[in-house]
Amino acid sequence: MNLLIRVLIAVFITVCVSQSSSLAVKSKKSYIVYLGGINQELEASQIKDSHFEFLGSILGSKERVDEALIYSYNKQFNGFAALLDEEDAAKLAEHPDVVTVIQNKGRKLHTTHSWDFLKLEKNGVIGSSSLWTKAKFGENIIIANLDTGVWHESKSFNDYGYGPIPSKWKGGCENETLVPCNNKLIGAKYYNKGFQARYGKLNSSMNTAHDHEGHGSHTLSTAGGNFVPGVSINGLGTGTAKGGSPRARVAAYKVCWPPTLLGGQCDDADIVKAFESAIHDGADVISISLGGPPAEYMNDGLAIASFHAVKKGITVVFSAGNDGPTPGSVTNLAPWAITVGATTTDREFQSFVDLANELNLKGLSMSKPLPHSGFYPLINAANAKAENASMMNATLCAEGALDPKKVEGKILVCLRGGNVGRVEKGVVAASAGAAGMILCNAEADGEELIADPHVLPATHITYADGLRLFAYLNSTNEPLGYITQPETALNIKPAPFMAGFSSRGPNTITPEILKPDITAPGVNIIAAYSENEDPVLPYNILSGTSMSCPHVAGVVGLLKSIHPDWSPAAIKSAIMTTANIKDNNGSPMLDENKNEANPFSRGAGDIDPNRAMNPGLVYDSTVNDYLDFLCTRGYNKSIIQKFSDHPYQCPENNSILDFNYPSITVHKLNGTVTVTRRLTNVGPPGMYTVRVKSPAGISVDVKPNILVFEKKGEVQKFELTMKADGTSVIRDYVFGELIWFNGKHYHVKSPIVVSVA
Ligand SMILES: *[C@@H]1O[C@H](CO)[C@@H](O)[C@H](O)[C@H]1NC(C)=O
Ligand SMILES: *[C@@H]1O[C@H](CO)[C@@H](O)[C@H](O)[C@H]1NC(C)=O
Ligand SMILES: *[C@@H]1O[C@H](CO)[C@@H](O)[C@H](O)[C@H]1NC(C)=O
Ligand SMILES: *[C@@H]1O[C@H](CO)[C@@H](O)[C@H](O)[C@H]1NC(C)=O
Ligand SMILES: *[C@@H]1O[C@H](CO)[C@@H](O)[C@H](O)[C@H]1NC(C)=O
Ligand SMILES: *[C@@H]1O[C@H](CO)[C@@H](O)[C@H](O)[C@H]1NC(C)=O
Ligand SMILES: *[C@@H]1O[C@H](CO)[C@@H](O)[C@H](O)[C@H]1NC(C)=O
Ligand SMILES: *[C@@H]1O[C@H](CO)[C@@H](O)[C@H](O)[C@H]1NC(C)=O
């Protein structure tokens, strides 16, 4: 979860969640009971009745059902959420009609310039060949966002110049008094019964889709916010704010609530209900910037709900998580969805630390400048320790750990981390009377810097520069320094590079599917916010994969708009095979430590919207391919049938290696293996030739090595045989690349990842 968000909403915890209310239901837990797809011949109300009846047969009385039932899912898929004791849950799980019983999980939430960086515009000018122009800015596409709701008052959601709402839309605003709809913001609903069943009652003033936290408004406006000129933060980053599909219609489904002491913010039962609504209401794209630890697909409500969305042709875009750079930290692993990691752009908000010994240290900041020029006294927070506080807490600028008498009027030097948010440290420094703050990375943070809008003049420096600063503080009795006014710097090189926090592969559930799929800008992104918070910020700068996810959702909206016939898999393939793996130095994209980024961090690369418009070929998949995938997971066939509207059989010789994914991963290669793929032509007729960059120690043979497509829609298969040569020393994982190319225009690229047994 983004640290900034954590700080800003932490105050809600005690205010809104009553502490005592969950005692009565302590022995019970909330579960999703999933019964498969819906029987098309039944009305929603009949399915709902069947849930009452079914649950009644287990619990024994209608009263107990009324008490237990949280939601009935009866429009897009069949199931319900209920508070159950373990015995009843076990009984349900054994019932032949039940596909799976999932104990609900709590989940966590995980601009103006980024579109220029992605070449949709150049210095504010939008060219005729931009995907924006071609896709009419995503006009009439509907983007749903499952998050903390919407600050509808934001200019990003005004509907000036919008025509009537697309006729297919069945959604709306649940309470027009609290959050009114217009022709831009066409949906606002909230779901909190699951949250309350898990964490206790919310104040009834929370029964609204209104965004009290800012996260949801930020992500929604990044995906589909209208053009808003003249946006800046503390005078920085001035420009026209807009989303990826700036003319799209948007709908907010509020599923996340003030974070609890248990760490959760969003509950599966609510998220699954919101998925059902968004599918039913007629969304084209669902953007969802939250997640929890990865789980097997049948034990993951989000995987099941997103499957039903994709089955209806809706593209689902998830954030990869902010638990990088730990290997295996990536979450939201369903192969039918798009999983997005985060990268930087070429813009920085620079604010230097000038020291009296003439050292200048580069930091990042979006804070206000110091009130007067000239040096200020500096103090290491460790030397400003309050008598009753621990040294560690003082060093970290934790609340109550500083002695105001020592801090007053000085620039305070704080260490990042220790479960104290970056902005929170600024609040502590300011309330102790500091004139400014220098935030120093701990060793683990390395060079990752975040430009926060702190409540006092402040800047954020790297670990290496922090050491220089501490050495200076040690060297003199009267250390002096200055924090320069933040300034916008463009064309920063290298860019993009991986954000350190962006979660990494390998995929811990299905190692044969590479995740994340793609990266997009997610560091220092400016977008709409909630003005419920102090300081009041109509626009705010945030970092996280939460921010990169809606960038991809916005681009998906554009692609849907010009290719309404493309499946979610085709759209995903187009985005992946055209992605950028080089930075603006023309070198391979780097990670946060300046090493070459590999597919476990960057997936297929950084999104390139204009090229995604015209990929030439796509690796397409149908619902049956996803069912085949589930077969490879060893699920009971009669259970897989329940996902399908048609009779379905798991194929013979079904191998996950043949699942038509746009990236190629072989797990534990032992000797030789053959992988098959099929390509669909979505461009002009043409001849494609293969080029392979073999992973170290692996020979790769592609048959055939030329594919000729005579018309649009034509499908061609190929086989890729990989053999470990056994002679060279092989690391855990080795990486390569497969490219089908046709002249200059079409380069259909896939990462290859191999681990050797
Ligand atoms: C699948 O599970 C159902 C219910 O648990 C059972 O009746 C059926 O025999 C199983 N089928 C197979 C092929 O294992
Ligand atoms: C809308 O919210 C207001 C204020 O909480 C409430 O009084 C009203 O009953 C709500 N309307 C609907 C339709 O839920
Ligand atoms: C609920 O919220 C309202 C508005 O913020 C506040 O006035 C009221 O005191 C809260 N009630 C409880 C029980 O916390
Ligand atoms: C350190 O600060 C935390 C809050 O940030 C507090 O819970 C803890 O008790 C403090 N520890 C000491 C030793 O003061
Ligand atoms: C130390 O004492 C001050 C004043 O009595 C109090 O505000 C602060 O919370 C205390 N800090 C800790 C860490 O106990
Ligand atoms: C500064 O001095 C402290 C205490 O004497 C010491 O622990 C620390 O390593 C010194 N830091 C640097 C960077 O010299
Ligand atoms: C499956 O594999 C077996 C053994 O390799 C082969 O005999 C059979 O024809 C294959 N079946 C299909 C449907 O490809
Ligand atoms: C590799 O395959 C051979 C032959 O099939 C088998 O004997 C061996 O155990 C396998 N090695 C590993 C590490 O799986």
Side-chain angles (χ1 to χ4, degrees):
M1 174 177 164
N2 184 293
L3 289 172
L4 178 55
I5 312 282
R6 194 204 301 267
V7 175
L8 292 176
I9 45 195
V11 281
F12 273 86
I13 299 172
T14 45
V15 182
C16 301
V17 182
S18 112
Q19 305 291 320
S20 60
S21 50
S22 56
L23 289 177
V25 293
K26 208 151 210 171
S27 57
K28 301 194 175 177
K29 296 197 172 98
S30 81
Y31 295 87
I32 290 174
V33 179
Y34 175 64
L35 305 167
I38 52 168
N39 180 340
Q40 309 283 353
E41 281 151 32
L42 295 179
E43 302 272 333
S45 62
Q46 289 173 298
I47 299 175
K48 188 172 180 180
D49 290 346
S50 75
H51 294 158
F52 272 89
E53 208 170 294
F54 182 36
L55 194 52
S57 73
I58 304 284
L59 301 183
S61 81
K62 185 178 172 308
E63 289 69 33
R64 291 195 60 199
V65 175
D66 285 340
E67 245 176 60
L69 197 66
I70 301 171
Y71 290 114
S72 162
Y73 307 117
N74 47 47
K75 294 201 187 88
Q76 297 298 327
F77 39 86
N78 191 355
F80 53 88
L83 272 178
L84 302 167
D85 58 35
E86 270 173 39
E87 252 170 67
D88 289 333
K91 258 190 240 164
L92 280 164
E94 279 163 20
H95 195 284
D97 288 352
V98 172
V99 175
T100 177
V101 176
I102 308 170
Q103 193 183 325
N104 268 323
K105 293 171 193 75
R107 309 271 176 171
K108 290 187 194 178
L109 290 163
H110 286 230
T111 204
T112 51
H113 176 69
S114 44
W115 303 115
D116 192 307
F117 184 62
L118 294 179
K119 302 188 196 77
L120 284 169
E121 57 182 349
K122 190 152 178 50
N123 301 323
V125 179
I126 301 163
S128 59
S129 62
S130 162
L131 173 59
W132 263 348
T133 313
K134 302 261 188 203
K136 301 200 177 84
F137 303 96
E139 204 170 63
N140 293 333
I141 288 296
I142 300 169
I143 300 178
N145 190 37
L146 276 50
D147 206 296
T148 65
V150 59
W151 189 258
H152 62 270
E153 298 91 329
S154 170
K155 288 182 183 151
S156 291
F157 308 117
N158 87 54
D159 69 348
Y160 179 74
Y162 281 72
I165 294 169
S167 57
K168 70 167 185 174
W169 182 243
K170 291 194 227 156
C173 284
E174 211 161 17
N175 190 326
E176 291 273 353
T177 321
L178 297 175
V179 180
C181 274
N182 60 32
N183 284 344
K184 170 77 183 176
L185 176 65
I186 62 172
K189 296 181 176 175
Y190 66 91
Y191 300 95
N192 58 20
K193 287 192 207 163
F195 179 90
Q196 298 190 69
R198 167 185 292 275
Y199 296 115
K201 244 186 138 33
L202 283 164
N203 187 327
S204 64
S205 69
M206 301 296 276
N207 285 336
T208 172
H210 210 193
D211 183 6
H212 295 108
E213 292 146 46
H215 191 275
S217 304
H218 202 277
T219 50
L220 184 60
S221 67
T222 299
N226 206 347
F227 292 94
V228 183
V231 165
S232 71
I233 295 173
N234 290 332
L236 286 166
T238 308
T240 298
K242 62 254 166 191
S245 279
R247 296 285 290 176
R249 319 299 174 121
V250 296
Y253 296 80
K254 182 169 170 73
V255 294
C256 295
W257 304 94
T260 61
L261 297 172
L262 298 173
Q265 269 198 275
C266 336
D267 186 78
D268 276 0
D270 298 326
I271 300 168
V272 169
K273 190 68 190 170
F275 258 107
E276 187 183 49
S277 261
I279 300 167
H280 181 76
D281 290 348
D284 297 304
V285 186
I286 295 177
S287 185
I288 173 161
S289 290
L290 54 84
E296 177 60 47
Y297 307 100
M298 285 290 177
N299 291 322
D300 181 350
L302 274 58
I304 291 175
S306 59
F307 172 87
H308 284 280
V310 170
K311 195 170 151 191
K312 281 280 166 80
I314 301 167
T315 296
V316 179
V317 188
F318 280 109
S319 49
N322 298 342
D323 296 320
T326 311
S329 50
V330 62
T331 191
N332 295 323
L333 305 173
W336 39 84
I338 304 178
T339 310
V340 188
T343 50
T344 63
T345 70
D346 65 346
R347 179 179 66 178
E348 279 182 359
F349 301 104
Q350 301 178 341
S351 163
F352 290 80
V353 175
D354 292 347
L355 298 174
N357 68 355
E358 302 198 334
L359 213 55
N360 303 102
L361 311 173
K362 189 183 97 178
L364 298 189
S365 174
M366 287 203 101
S367 310
K368 296 197 180 79
L370 284 162
H372 63 78
S373 58
F375 287 130
Y376 286 70
L378 299 176
I379 184 162
N380 184 343
N383 296 332
K385 187 178 93 59
E387 240 171 56
N388 56 352
S390 72
M391 184 56 89
M392 196 60 215
N393 272 4
T395 307
L396 294 166
C397 296
E399 197 181 348
L402 300 174
D403 181 351
K405 287 195 292 296
K406 296 178 182 153
V407 174
E408 181 71 41
K410 296 181 184 152
I411 294 175
L412 183 69
V413 179
C414 300
L415 187 67
R416 183 178 178 185
N419 263 332
V420 186
R422 302 184 306 275
V423 173
E424 192 182 348
K425 290 174 198 274
V427 172
V428 171
S431 59
M437 177 180 74
I438 301 168
L439 182 63
C440 302
N441 269 353
E443 190 166 9
D445 306 315
E447 300 199 11
E448 178 184 273
L449 298 180
I450 310 283
D452 293 308
H454 289 281
V455 297
L456 80 173
T459 191
H460 180 185
I461 62 176
T462 64
Y463 175 66
D465 283 343
L467 290 180
R468 290 187 189 103
L469 173 60
F470 283 117
Y472 168 66
L473 294 176
N474 278 0
S475 73
T476 168
N477 290 329
E478 286 182 20
L480 294 172
Y482 188 71
I483 300 171
T484 68
Q485 172 161 9
E487 284 178 22
T488 307
L490 290 169
N491 304 316
I492 297 297
K493 290 183 175 176
F497 65 86
M498 286 305 304
F501 59 74
S502 187
S503 288
R504 307 295 152 98
N507 179 331
T508 50
I509 303 291
T510 323
E512 298 85 356
I513 303 290
L514 178 67
K515 290 278 176 176
D517 294 304
I518 189 83
T519 62
V523 179
N524 298 328
I525 303 300
I526 298 174
Y529 206 57
S530 164
E531 293 183 56
N532 181 60
E533 282 300 337
D534 200 25
V536 169
L537 289 169
Y539 287 80
N540 199 0
I541 181 162
L542 300 180
S543 298
T545 54
S546 282
M547 282 65 240
S548 56
C549 165
H551 274 87
V552 173
V555 172
V556 168
L558 300 172
L559 294 175
K560 283 221 160 200
S561 167
I562 48 172
H563 299 296
D565 54 325
W566 282 10
S567 70
I571 287 177
K572 171 168 157 177
S573 175
I575 288 174
M576 286 173 68
T577 64
T578 59
N580 234 325
I581 53 174
K582 297 229 165 113
D583 62 25
N584 57 3
N585 281 328
S587 312
M589 187 159 109
L590 302 179
D591 68 13
E592 69 288 351
N593 290 323
K594 306 279 188 275
N595 298 319
E596 201 171 304
N598 67 42
F600 285 148
S601 55
R602 62 159 161 84
D606 213 39
I607 192 166
D608 189 334
N610 292 329
R611 292 190 54 222
M613 171 165 49
N614 210 356
L617 309 174
V618 294
Y619 294 91
D620 205 355
S621 289
T622 62
V623 172
N624 266 21
D625 290 309
Y626 299 133
L627 297 176
D628 293 354
F629 168 81
L630 290 174
C631 293
T632 70
R633 302 295 302 160
Y635 293 126
N636 177 320
K637 284 174 192 167
S638 64
I639 282 198
I640 291 173
Q641 173 65 58
K642 287 188 194 281
F643 281 81
S644 175
D645 299 336
H646 312 284
Y648 171 80
Q649 278 281 335
C650 286
E652 266 184 61
N653 303 346
N654 183 28
S655 163
I656 196 166
L657 293 171
D658 303 332
F659 179 59
N660 205 37
Y661 215 67
S663 55
I664 294 164
T665 305
V666 174
H667 184 55
K668 296 195 173 156
L669 173 63
N670 182 8
T672 301
V673 73
T674 297
V675 169
T676 65
R677 288 289 186 273
R678 35 171 227 275
L679 280 162
T680 305
N681 183 26
V682 294
M687 185 178 87
Y688 285 79
T689 309
V690 80
R691 185 158 65 209
V692 177
K693 279 187 204 153
S694 299
I698 308 285
S699 69
V700 180
D701 184 37
V702 181
K703 277 195 185 113
N705 57 16
I706 289 179
L707 295 174
V708 179
F709 293 89
E710 280 165 1
K711 55 182 196 295
K712 217 175 210 169
E714 192 175 332
V715 178
Q716 299 272 5
K717 277 193 179 177
F718 66 91
E719 283 184 348
L720 198 121
T721 301
M722 286 185 246
K723 188 167 173 233
D725 67 18
T727 52
S728 40
V729 181
I730 298 213
R731 283 160 290 160
D732 287 357
Y733 288 96
V734 283
F735 306 100
E737 194 176 35
L738 171 78
I739 308 174
W740 287 100
F741 71 98
N742 166 13
K744 263 209 234 140
H745 285 305
Y746 300 105
H747 291 245
V748 186
K749 277 195 311 324
S750 296
I752 301 175
V753 178
V754 180
S755 75
V756 176

